[in-house]
Amino acid sequence: MSIVESAFQGLKKYADFKGRASRVEFWSFLGLVIILQAVAGFVGLLFGVGPLLSAIVSALLIIPQLAVAVRRLHDVGKSGRELLVPCIMFLALPLAFAFRGVLPQIVALGFLGMTLMVFANLLRLFLKEGSTVPNSYGGAPTAFTFGC
């Protein structure tokens, strides 16, 4: 399967949270999302609706991004629940920095550091090679199959 086919595989499995996704499928889909966001931003800039068009594209692509991330975690033998803590921490960052004063800002910077460490661990899992044998989430996406 080529990189382009792998990228569009994420769109074909729009809301499929079951099974496994290879590293190539995950990273090529992420590249496709970045390209689509850039094109949406450029087209929106040309027509004067930049933030609106980008927001629409983001809303349309959030579910397939989550689905391919969950399937990627399944490929390395982890549950999709591994995404919960980083997402909650990321959403809580503005609240942490909302408080004024020296001590609250120090606490907020500590929270930011913890959030970055959690995301670094998630990145490590996304970069990790998946198992070549079936696990509890299904067969390996890169396994060789015989054509009939």
Side-chain angles (χ1 to χ4, degrees):
M1 183 180 306
S2 73
I3 291 177
V4 175
E5 290 172 339
S6 294
F8 285 104
Q9 187 73 18
L11 288 176
K12 289 178 188 172
K13 296 180 178 181
Y14 186 85
D16 185 9
F17 290 87
K18 293 181 169 79
R20 296 165 61 174
S22 67
R23 279 190 295 188
V24 172
E25 180 183 343
F26 175 80
W27 290 108
S28 59
F29 182 72
L30 183 66
L32 176 68
V33 167
I34 291 169
I35 290 169
L36 290 175
Q37 285 287 63
V39 168
F42 181 71
V43 170
L45 190 64
L46 287 177
F47 293 107
V49 292
L52 178 65
L53 190 59
S54 275
I56 291 171
V57 169
S58 293
L60 290 174
L61 292 176
I62 191 72
I63 292 174
Q65 287 179 58
L66 289 173
V68 76
V70 167
R71 290 195 316 270
R72 179 70 197 122
L73 288 172
H74 287 173
D75 192 38
V76 295
K78 300 288 184 181
S79 170
R81 293 184 193 134
E82 297 276 336
L83 285 174
L84 281 177
V85 171
C87 290
I88 291 170
M89 289 179 80
F90 181 72
L91 293 174
L93 270 175
L95 178 64
F97 281 97
F99 297 102
R100 296 291 166 225
V102 175
L103 186 61
Q105 291 297 307
I106 291 172
V107 171
L109 286 173
F111 185 73
L112 174 64
M114 289 187 338
T115 304
L116 290 174
M117 286 191 296
V118 168
F119 270 98
N121 182 51
L122 192 60
L123 178 64
R124 181 188 62 83
L125 291 174
F126 287 151
L127 290 171
K128 187 177 176 183
E129 185 175 352
S131 64
T132 56
V133 296
N135 63 18
S136 60
Y137 299 105
T142 56
F144 178 76
T145 57
F146 293 99
C148 295

